[in-house]
Amino acid sequence: MKKILLAAVLFIATTATIQAQLLKIGVKAGVNFANQTGDFPDQIDKEGITSYHAGLVAELKLLDKFSIQPELLYSTTGASYKFSEVSEDIKNELGYISIPVMAKFYLNNTFSLEVGPQASFLVSEKNDFDVKNGETFEFGVNAGLGVKLTENFFLQGRYGLGLTEASKDADVKNSVFQISAGFMF
């Protein structure tokens, strides 16, 4: 009986260790350098804004050098607009719940290339004017580089490009460069 109990405990411990190596959950946060692309009249000067992102991340290891990394983030994007006829600036900041699903290709034990789609849902829109015209859904693609500093700490650099319009009234798409730091449990 003692041998059966010991074998069961060893089996459960081994299974838990294997599953812990296959799925990791963590948190990440960082800075966004956001801008908007599109056709703008000559009298409008557009500049990017600096904002942030934060949320949860998981990594599911499928092969030795390949993982899938789904994320659930709150991320802000947008731009600042200056009109040559008017002396005031307009800042448009859009807050999204973003769900990127990245394919992670490990080059070695430290570096990984990341690429994948992203679905984003608009949850807030802060404008310096009274127009609420943001699209409630945005689809985009991301590509970047990840660096594992330790077994738990990581850094990521990523560029995201919106493929759908960010505004109902204009030909505007979001683009963002993100720098993130995170911790896997």
Side-chain angles (χ1 to χ4, degrees):
M1 182 71 173
K2 288 181 183 179
K3 289 182 182 180
I4 293 174
L5 187 59
L6 180 61
V9 169
L10 286 174
F11 176 74
I12 291 171
T14 303
T15 303
T17 302
I18 290 171
Q19 291 208 359
Q21 292 174 354
L22 296 178
L23 176 67
K24 292 187 177 185
I25 308 252
V27 294
K28 71 181 257 186
V31 64
N32 288 350
F33 300 101
N35 210 334
Q36 292 180 323
T37 61
D39 296 326
F40 297 98
D42 292 337
Q43 61 267 34
I44 298 177
D45 184 26
K46 176 183 58 73
E47 293 182 3
I49 62 170
T50 303
S51 57
Y52 65 94
H53 64 277
L56 302 173
V57 59
E59 184 173 349
L60 178 61
K61 191 171 189 172
L62 299 177
L63 300 172
D64 188 39
K65 299 284 185 182
F66 178 73
S67 295
I68 298 293
Q69 181 172 301
E71 301 174 3
L72 179 64
L73 305 173
Y74 178 79
S75 182
T76 55
T77 63
S80 178
Y81 298 93
K82 295 181 183 184
F83 297 88
S84 56
E85 306 94 38
V86 204
S87 62
E88 72 180 86
D89 298 345
I90 294 175
K91 182 178 179 183
N92 187 23
E93 186 175 297
L94 305 170
Y96 290 96
I97 296 294
S98 297
I99 306 169
V101 179
M102 307 300 288
K104 245 177 136 165
F105 302 94
Y106 281 94
L107 304 174
N108 55 32
N109 290 335
T110 304
F111 294 98
S112 62
L113 293 176
E114 303 170 0
V115 63
Q118 174 173 295
S120 298
F121 302 91
L122 184 67
V123 292
S124 72
E125 185 174 4
K126 296 177 188 171
N127 298 323
D128 289 342
F129 55 101
D130 239 3
V131 178
K132 299 288 185 192
N133 64 348
E135 289 287 351
T136 57
F137 176 77
E138 180 187 52
F139 182 77
V141 292
N142 296 316
L145 178 68
V147 179
K148 238 179 171 177
L149 300 176
T150 67
E151 192 60 35
N152 298 85
F153 288 102
F154 65 89
L155 296 176
Q156 292 174 326
R158 181 181 295 171
Y159 178 74
L161 178 64
L163 299 178
T164 58
E165 304 294 329
S167 172
K168 295 176 185 173
D169 301 328
D171 179 22
V172 174
K173 295 179 181 175
N174 288 315
S175 68
V176 62
F177 179 71
Q178 297 178 326
I179 298 174
S180 310
F183 181 81
M184 293 297 232
F185 299 102

